């Protein structure tokens, strides 16, 4: 479509590209990696099946304090990390496909990182409700206070969603013709 202002034809501005889905997928994958690396591996508070002795669906218990139980939990942790990795790869592929100009600007934008935080928060909320509360296959930190740890995980997820939404909402759209946001340069 051509528009004219002074008799000269010019191309209409391209609509801003949506980076919501790539940002959400990156956030889900990266949030999962933080959970898996920090809580599963470094702190060793839980594994994917570490609470199946008290779960709500009848999964066989694989005691993570035994070699065979830890092996099975490690396999499921690996499956979990594979899903996180695929989410990050898909998010990167979609971002690359959607952003054809000024890619460096996108990586520094509040728009992208706001959506990443929303995705991380959604990961916490879905994983927390499903695995900790509905299925009961593991808890953030099992023991007498596990309900509070699980609720804290959900609160963190909600804060990430709200904070990420506010960050991305205040950012300028990312389109080929949109001027750079000075706040995005500082990010």
């Amino acid at each position: 479509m051509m528009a004219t202002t002074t008799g000269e034809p010019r191309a209409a501005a391209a609509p801003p590209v949506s980076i919501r889905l790539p940002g959400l997928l990156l956030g889900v994958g990266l949030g999962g990696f933080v959970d898996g690396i920090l809580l599963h591996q470094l702190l060793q508070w839980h594994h994917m099946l570490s609470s199946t002795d008290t779960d709500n669906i009848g999964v066989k218990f694989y005691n993570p304090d035994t070699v065979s139980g830890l092996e099975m939990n490690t396999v499921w942790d690996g499956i979990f990390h594979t899903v996180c990795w695929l989410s990050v790869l898909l998010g990167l592929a979609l971002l690359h496909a959607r952003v054809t100009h000024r890619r460096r600007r996108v990586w520094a934008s509040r728009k992208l990182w706001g959506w990443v935080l929303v995705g991380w928060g959604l990961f916490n909320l879905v994983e927390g409700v499903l695995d900790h509360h509905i299925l009961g296959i593991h808890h953030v930190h099992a023991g007498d206070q596990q309900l509070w740890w699980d609720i804290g995980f959900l609160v963190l997820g909600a804060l990430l969603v709200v904070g990420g939404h506010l960050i991305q909402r205040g950012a300028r759209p990312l389109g080929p013709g949109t001027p750079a946001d000075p706040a995005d340069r500082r990010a």
Side-chain angles (χ1 to χ4, degrees):
M1 176 177 193
M2 302 296 275
T4 60
T5 54
T6 59
E8 294 179 23
R10 65 181 169 101
V17 63
S18 174
I19 57 172
R20 179 185 307 162
L21 182 58
L24 290 173
L25 287 169
L26 286 168
V28 166
L30 294 172
F33 277 136
V34 169
D35 176 279
I37 293 167
L38 181 64
L39 301 179
H40 295 213
Q41 295 172 324
L42 295 176
L43 296 175
Q44 298 179 19
W45 283 0
H46 70 261
H47 297 282
M48 283 307 295
L49 303 178
S50 57
S51 294
T52 54
D53 57 334
T54 60
D55 71 345
N56 299 323
I57 56 172
V59 174
K60 181 181 175 189
F61 179 53
Y62 297 99
N63 186 343
D65 295 327
T66 67
V67 172
S68 63
L70 184 58
E71 286 175 345
M72 183 57 76
N73 273 285
T74 302
V75 165
W76 280 97
D77 287 350
I79 292 168
F80 171 74
H81 278 112
T82 301
V83 171
C84 295
W85 181 70
L86 291 172
S87 179
V88 168
L89 283 181
L90 184 57
L92 288 172
L94 286 173
L95 187 64
H96 182 77
R98 291 183 181 188
V99 179
T100 58
H101 296 74
R102 300 184 194 165
R103 286 190 175 117
R104 180 182 223 173
R105 181 175 154 217
V106 172
W107 284 108
S109 75
R110 294 182 303 154
K111 184 69 82 176
L112 175 64
W113 293 104
W115 283 121
V116 168
L117 289 177
V118 171
W120 183 356
L122 289 174
F123 164 81
N124 277 25
L125 292 171
V126 171
E127 198 267 342
V129 168
L130 187 63
D131 290 345
H132 305 166
H133 297 282
I134 294 174
L135 300 177
I137 60 175
H138 70 257
H139 300 280
V140 174
H141 193 40
D144 294 337
Q145 304 296 318
Q146 74 187 20
L147 178 62
W148 294 109
W149 285 101
D150 291 346
I151 290 172
F153 192 79
L154 294 175
V155 169
L156 174 61
L159 290 172
L160 288 166
V161 167
V162 169
H165 178 72
L166 291 173
I167 289 169
Q168 71 79 26
R169 190 179 83 178
R172 290 187 183 181
L174 295 170
T178 57
D181 184 347
D184 286 343
R185 287 190 199 119
R186 290 190 306 264

